[in-house]
Amino acid sequence: MSLPEVLLWQRLKGSPQGIAFRKQHPIGGYRADFYCAAAKVVIEVDGIAHDMGDRPERDIQRTAWLEKQGYQILRVPAADVLKDADEAAQSIVSFAARPLHHPSDGPPPRAGEDLE
C-alpha cells in the first residue's frame, strides 16, 4: 500500500460510523484500494502514477467495467489524503453512508388513483 492508502486505512479500519471497509479487495480481475460492500462503493486513491503511460486509459476501462457491474466509484486524489487524511477519510465515510435511494415526497398512490 502507498502512504496515502496507509493513512486512509488507519482511519477507515474499525468501521467508522458503522460503515465497514475492506482494503485491497478483489473484484473481477481488478483490486480495489478500498471497498464498502454495504454501499457497493469502490474507493480508488489516485496518485501521480494514474497520469502516466497507458494508465489513464486502463482506469477508464476499469471504471466502465465496475460501473456496468453496479459499483459506484469514488476517486480520491492522493494529494488530498496527504494534505488532510482525516478530512479525506470523513468524505469517504460520508459518501458511503448516504442513502442510495431517497424517500419520495409522500406515500405511494392507492390502487386506482391517478399519478398526476
Side-chain angles (χ1 to χ4, degrees):
M1 290 175 60
S2 67
L3 177 58
E5 290 170 350
V6 169
L7 293 172
L8 279 178
W9 184 240
Q10 290 172 341
R11 289 152 178 85
L12 295 176
K13 66 182 177 182
S15 303
Q17 298 178 23
I19 309 290
F21 293 92
R22 300 174 188 162
K23 65 178 180 171
Q24 301 299 307
H25 181 74
I27 301 173
Y30 300 105
R31 186 166 303 273
D33 292 335
F34 301 100
Y35 176 63
C36 176
K40 208 168 179 183
V41 173
V42 171
I43 299 101
E44 288 299 313
V45 180
D46 289 345
I48 194 162
H50 287 265
D51 296 330
M52 298 180 167
D54 68 341
R55 189 63 187 258
E57 179 59 35
R58 288 177 30 215
D59 283 348
I60 290 168
Q61 292 172 356
R62 172 190 169 128
T63 296
W65 185 87
L66 288 166
E67 287 175 342
K68 188 174 180 182
Q69 308 309 310
Y71 296 96
Q72 295 180 81
I73 315 304
L74 178 61
R75 302 196 89 80
V76 179
D80 290 356
V81 178
L82 293 172
K83 182 179 176 184
D84 190 342
D86 291 329
E87 176 62 30
Q90 183 54 50
S91 294
I92 292 168
V93 172
S94 295
F95 184 88
R98 74 173 208 265
L100 298 177
H101 302 285
H102 301 285
S104 65
D105 291 337
R110 294 184 195 150
E113 288 183 349
D114 288 333
L115 296 176
E116 296 177 28

